[in-house]
Amino acid sequence: MIFRFDFGNPFCTEAVTKEIPAKTGLEAEKEFSVYGELSLNTGFSFKMSLQKNSVIYGFGQSMGGINKKGRKYISYCTDDPVHTEGKDSLYGAHNFFIIHNPGEKHTDLGFFFDYPGRITFDIAFTETDRIIISAEEKDISCYVIKPEGKNPLEDITRQFREIIGRSYIPPRWALGYMQSRWGYRTKEDIESVYENYTKAGIPLDSICMDIDYMVEFKDFTIDGEKFPSFPDFVSKLKKDGVRLVPIIDAGVKIEPGYDVYEEGVKNNYFCKKADGKDYVAGVWPGRTHFPDFLNPEARRWFGLKYKVLTDTGVEGFWNDMNEPAMFYSDEGLSEAVEALKNTDLSKLDINGFFAFKDKVTGIANNENDYKRFYHRCIQNGKEVTVNHHKIHNLFGYNMTRAAAEGLNEINPSKRFLLFSRASYIGMHRYGGIWTGDNSSWWSHIKLELSMMPGLNMCGILYTGADIGGFGYNASRELLMRWIEFGLFTPLMRNHAALGTRDQECYRFENPEDFARLIRFRYRLIPYIYTEYMKSALKNTMYFRPLSFVYPEDMDCLEIEDQLMVGESLMVAPVLEPNSTGRNIYLPEDMIEVRLTNTEEIIQTEIPKGRHYIKFPLDELVFYIRKGHALPLAKPAMRTDLIDFENLSYIGDKEVIQKAGKEGIPPYKVYIDDGFTTEYKEI
């Protein structure tokens, strides 16, 4: 059961696709107040009581563990590459959560606060027995979801997913291994990556191209000197099953003669300042304009620009810098320079020094700059002008929407790979996300694990982190352990920043260890693809906390470093350096699967309970539920070469033997062409 309460004049974000009748006015205030203390005097304020043992799930891409209790979260898409414990905001804004009250039936509730601006969620942080939600304006749509089925956590999530629309489905090749790096500057650089992966026997399906492939970082351009005969290059790699995936940034370079700039200016497709002039911000190309992605005409114009690259044979893209990120604005830069000029250095005390310092370091991604420009939007059939700050979280969502709608118009029957950095609920219909500019830190493997179920709850299924870490330098051990978890994430990409250690798998000693792991990923793709399609077509989760599957097991509530993957599998990766084992909890008897350093698969039945398991760096360990079987394909170097027909099976021997006697497979694999939108029933 889903209830909607509208306060003030909510902005239609289009996050929800299913019509839910709204309570409004005094009726809404009265009925919504059943759930807590509501105040609309100055903006929006709502306080809910929590039980001592309540568990909070959700919030998509956010800091903290799987249980979100005890932290403050600020939904305001933020370009911050240093994801340390004290950060409140990341790249996404996902305002959905579930309050789970263990042992008390019919008391769990789901909440979605559809608000496109800055909103704060204080989850038992200021007061340990309360959730406090506050927003600057009272214009908000609040959804309350009550469970209908036996498993409240699964049921609330399913109901929410049903009202926000079907999750994006990528082409099947997008489940293959990706290699990326900021710094692949030329055709020769990419050829070297392709050749070295092939030589090392490590499967590879795509190579991502960062901003270096463009002419002066201009969107929809290809540097012909660095990448001569680009269509031929794309075709050559694709013949061997390897795709190129270029980046597209949100800022358009201000340059007379550049067609994207000139068309945008001529047709008023860029965001405006209060005086009606096009807003200017500094990004990679220098001074840029931002396309007004909330304007349907501008969105279509920008989306069709992707044809410049699809005409070369490109089949996938990643959208970046779309929070939107900005290094400076003209106004912000001028204000900072003026303030520094007027600073009397001879009278500088410590407070003055920090004010001086903050004026400089605060130029980039300054919230005041987001208040300086405006969008033209359609609301209730009418064109309105809205300040960006009030709808900030919708920018990246609508950039990816522009791309998806444009690609659909370019080729309606084709699946394109599309993933983004910034997002809001609703964007999951158009593409996936990677979890942003992380670091080569052990804590960020666990952070990725913690994010996965929350993102799935919000419909974002095609997701994963920069394996090995984007910033800083990855050790061989860190990369190996990250891959041991990353080989289960739908988006499996190794990506690193300019100036960091080269972290392609073949650059480390004994690259055969990486090859063995990634080959096993390809053997698992029939399972990964099937479970992904189940999740997308049936509005379920690909990654689940253990408590979603075992709601009666109170021990599962405290498990923060294990996840269920699909219906049959559980992972418990190593998250600490210099470890050759770890403690695990099995909520039922399970079958341990161990891939040895000789590629032998050893299966061992392990009883329910707590165990210490040996997990050497050069082995892979995971668990299959009793009563379940897992399909394995033969090894392949590309997803295009995977044989989905002739499979072997591991898992419960009785299930496998019984199925063999009956002449049916012990696991039903989902098979389609992997390229078109002709999805089958599942």
Side-chain angles (χ1 to χ4, degrees):
M1 294 181 288
I2 302 177
F3 305 90
R4 173 180 168 181
F5 305 90
D6 282 3
F7 304 106
N9 184 27
F11 186 90
C12 180
T13 66
E14 299 184 70
V16 174
T17 59
K18 187 175 180 179
E19 188 64 34
I20 306 293
K23 305 280 188 181
T24 60
L26 292 175
E27 181 185 22
E29 292 181 36
K30 180 181 178 181
E31 293 194 19
F32 192 65
S33 294
V34 169
Y35 304 103
E37 301 172 28
L38 174 68
S39 173
L40 303 174
N41 294 329
T42 55
F44 177 86
S45 175
F46 186 61
K47 300 179 180 180
M48 290 184 285
S49 296
L50 284 178
Q51 297 181 13
K52 187 175 182 179
N53 65 340
S54 293
V55 179
I56 312 298
Y57 296 108
F59 292 113
Q61 182 188 16
S62 57
M63 296 298 297
I66 294 173
N67 181 357
K68 299 301 178 182
K69 200 172 177 182
R71 290 189 65 98
K72 184 182 289 185
Y73 304 93
I74 299 175
S75 276
Y76 198 79
C77 297
T78 303
D79 172 26
D80 183 345
V82 186
H83 307 164
T84 50
E85 280 292 317
K87 299 300 169 65
D88 298 321
S89 303
L90 294 178
Y91 301 99
H94 309 120
N95 308 338
F96 171 66
F97 64 94
I98 295 175
I99 301 174
H100 175 51
N101 297 314
E104 296 199 21
K105 295 182 178 179
H106 314 300
T107 62
D108 290 2
L109 290 173
F111 290 89
F112 172 44
F113 292 83
D114 193 5
Y115 183 80
R118 183 186 182 94
I119 181 169
T120 299
F121 297 89
D122 183 326
I123 310 297
F125 176 72
T126 301
E127 300 178 47
T128 58
D129 61 349
R130 276 192 170 192
I131 290 177
I132 304 171
I133 302 165
S134 56
E136 297 170 355
E137 313 244 345
K138 65 180 179 181
D139 305 317
I140 188 168
S141 291
C142 304
Y143 294 79
V144 179
I145 306 174
K146 295 183 178 181
E148 296 175 331
K150 294 181 180 179
N151 186 329
L153 293 170
E154 296 268 19
D155 185 68
I156 290 171
T157 301
R158 176 190 56 77
Q159 289 188 66
F160 180 61
R161 294 272 303 281
E162 286 177 352
I163 68 169
I164 61 175
R166 176 188 287 175
S167 296
Y168 161 76
I169 297 174
R172 195 165 60 213
W173 61 263
L175 298 180
Y177 180 73
M178 296 184 195
Q179 181 59 56
S180 182
R181 183 175 179 83
W182 175 17
Y184 295 157
R185 291 188 171 91
T186 65
K187 172 185 174 184
E188 289 72 27
D189 288 342
I190 290 177
E191 282 180 329
S192 175
V193 171
Y194 162 72
E195 290 167 0
N196 278 293
Y197 266 99
T198 301
K199 182 179 178 181
I202 304 173
L204 178 70
D205 258 83
S206 55
I207 301 172
C208 291
M209 304 170 69
D210 214 311
I211 54 178
D212 306 287
Y213 79 92
M214 304 177 188
V215 178
E216 298 177 342
F217 308 137
K218 292 184 290 188
D219 281 340
F220 310 114
T221 64
I222 303 163
D223 190 322
E225 292 186 6
K226 297 178 182 177
F227 293 91
S229 304
F230 187 69
D232 293 338
F233 184 45
V234 173
S235 177
K236 175 186 173 183
L237 292 181
K238 199 188 299 185
K239 283 180 181 176
D240 192 27
V242 177
R243 273 88 174 171
L244 293 181
V245 180
I247 195 172
I248 301 293
D249 279 349
V252 172
K253 183 176 176 64
I254 298 172
E255 180 181 273
Y258 171 36
D259 63 329
V260 183
Y261 163 72
E262 292 194 335
E263 290 172 17
V265 170
K266 178 182 177 181
N267 295 290
N268 286 315
Y269 288 154
F270 294 127
C271 295
K272 303 288 185 181
K273 297 190 294 184
D275 63 6
K277 295 180 181 178
D278 291 331
Y279 180 72
V280 178
V283 200
W284 293 116
R287 297 176 77 247
T288 67
H289 293 323
F290 290 140
D292 186 357
F293 294 117
L294 279 84
N295 175 352
E297 292 180 8
R299 196 162 58 232
R300 181 173 183 271
W301 161 74
F302 193 86
L304 290 176
K305 284 294 177 184
Y306 285 75
K307 192 172 188 296
V308 170
L309 289 157
T310 61
D311 282 350
T312 69
V314 167
E315 298 179 358
F317 302 89
W318 52 304
N319 288 343
D320 197 9
M321 303 295 286
N322 54 358
E323 290 71 36
M326 63 178 89
F327 303 151
Y328 63 86
S329 71
D330 278 0
E331 294 85 353
L333 200 59
S334 296
E335 290 170 1
V337 170
E338 192 64 26
L340 298 181
K341 283 181 180 178
N342 295 330
T343 301
D344 186 347
L345 298 181
S346 66
K347 297 180 180 179
L348 200 65
D349 60 12
I350 192 64
N351 294 324
F353 166 74
F354 281 112
F356 180 97
K357 172 178 169 289
D358 292 346
K359 182 61 71 172
V360 175
T361 58
I363 291 173
N365 300 315
N366 191 304
E367 193 169 313
N368 289 328
D369 285 333
Y370 292 130
K371 299 175 182 178
R372 302 185 200 269
F373 64 97
Y374 295 80
H375 297 269
R376 286 188 298 153
C377 316
I378 303 299
Q379 292 284 292
N380 299 317
K382 297 179 181 179
E383 184 176 293
V384 297
T385 299
V386 183
N387 184 272
H388 171 84
H389 173 67
K390 293 185 177 182
I391 54 172
H392 171 76
N393 293 332
L394 303 183
F395 189 85
Y397 156 23
N398 278 281
M399 179 188 180
T400 299
R401 177 180 178 180
E405 290 175 343
L407 292 168
N408 184 63
E409 190 169 338
I410 292 165
N411 191 334
S413 64
K414 185 180 182 67
R415 291 187 231 173
F416 288 90
L417 169 61
L418 189 59
F419 59 102
S420 169
R421 193 167 74 177
S423 63
Y424 182 80
I425 287 173
M427 200 216 77
H428 70 286
R429 300 190 295 270
Y430 304 105
I433 69 165
W434 89 100
T435 54
D437 296 343
N438 61 359
S439 299
S440 298
W441 300 340
W442 286 88
S443 62
H444 279 189
I445 308 179
K446 186 173 182 181
L447 180 59
E448 179 191 13
L449 184 150
S450 299
M451 287 180 183
M452 292 298 105
L455 285 166
N456 280 195
M457 290 169 68
C458 297
I460 301 170
L461 301 178
Y462 188 73
T463 185
D466 286 345
I467 291 174
F470 177 72
Y472 303 94
N473 297 304
S475 68
R476 181 180 187 275
E477 181 192 14
L478 175 75
L479 182 59
M480 284 278 286
R481 290 303 192 195
W482 211 319
I483 285 175
E484 287 167 357
F485 174 65
L487 65 84
F488 296 98
T489 61
L491 171 55
M492 187 186 184
R493 182 178 76 152
N494 178 334
H495 183 46
L498 187 69
T500 63
R501 177 183 187 175
D502 294 326
Q503 64 183 43
E504 294 85 3
C505 294
Y506 57 79
R507 295 188 184 274
F508 295 87
E509 65 261 35
N510 300 321
E512 62 272 14
D513 289 341
F514 294 96
R516 182 171 61 255
L517 289 173
I518 296 172
R519 277 198 296 269
F520 196 74
R521 157 68 171 218
Y522 279 63
R523 298 196 69 188
L524 279 174
I525 282 181
Y527 177 78
I528 292 170
Y529 188 54
T530 300
E531 295 301 316
Y532 186 100
M533 294 303 289
K534 285 180 184 177
S535 301
L537 299 176
K538 292 187 173 183
N539 295 311
T540 60
M541 296 167 66
Y542 175 83
F543 281 113
R544 294 174 175 86
L546 270 61
S547 56
F548 276 55
V549 179
Y550 305 96
E552 304 301 323
D553 188 334
M554 296 298 105
D555 287 335
C556 289
L557 295 171
E558 297 182 5
I559 302 299
E560 291 277 328
D561 57 0
Q562 300 173 206
L563 287 178
M564 306 303 297
V565 183
E567 291 186 3
S568 307
L569 192 152
M570 187 187 78
V571 293
V574 171
L575 303 173
E576 301 290 340
N578 305 310
S579 297
T580 57
R582 58 156 291 171
N583 291 302
I584 63 164
Y585 175 68
L586 299 185
E588 63 173 315
D589 296 352
M590 287 189 173
I591 300 155
E592 179 187 276
V593 178
R594 187 175 295 267
L595 178 71
T596 71
N597 56 17
T598 62
E599 285 191 270
E600 180 185 5
I601 295 174
I602 299 173
Q603 300 183 72
T604 308
E605 292 192 14
I606 309 290
K608 173 183 176 178
R610 300 186 183 275
H611 305 272
Y612 180 82
I613 61 148
K614 285 290 185 180
F615 199 145
L617 182 61
D618 59 357
E619 295 187 352
L620 174 68
V621 181
F622 61 92
Y623 298 86
I624 299 176
R625 300 174 67 186
K626 292 294 292 291
H628 292 251
L630 204 70
L632 291 180
K634 296 175 182 177
M637 288 291 287
R638 313 282 184 253
T639 56
D640 290 349
L641 301 177
I642 294 174
D643 182 354
F644 274 70
E645 299 289 345
N646 299 299
L647 303 171
S648 58
Y649 298 91
I650 57 175
D652 192 314
K653 293 179 180 178
E654 291 184 8
V655 170
I656 295 170
Q657 290 171 355
K658 181 181 178 183
K661 291 178 181 178
E662 295 174 355
I664 59 172
Y667 176 92
K668 186 177 180 181
V669 172
Y670 176 90
I671 303 176
D672 60 17
D673 61 25
F675 292 94
T676 71
T677 55
E678 294 297 319
Y679 312 122
K680 297 180 179 180
E681 293 297 321
I682 195 165

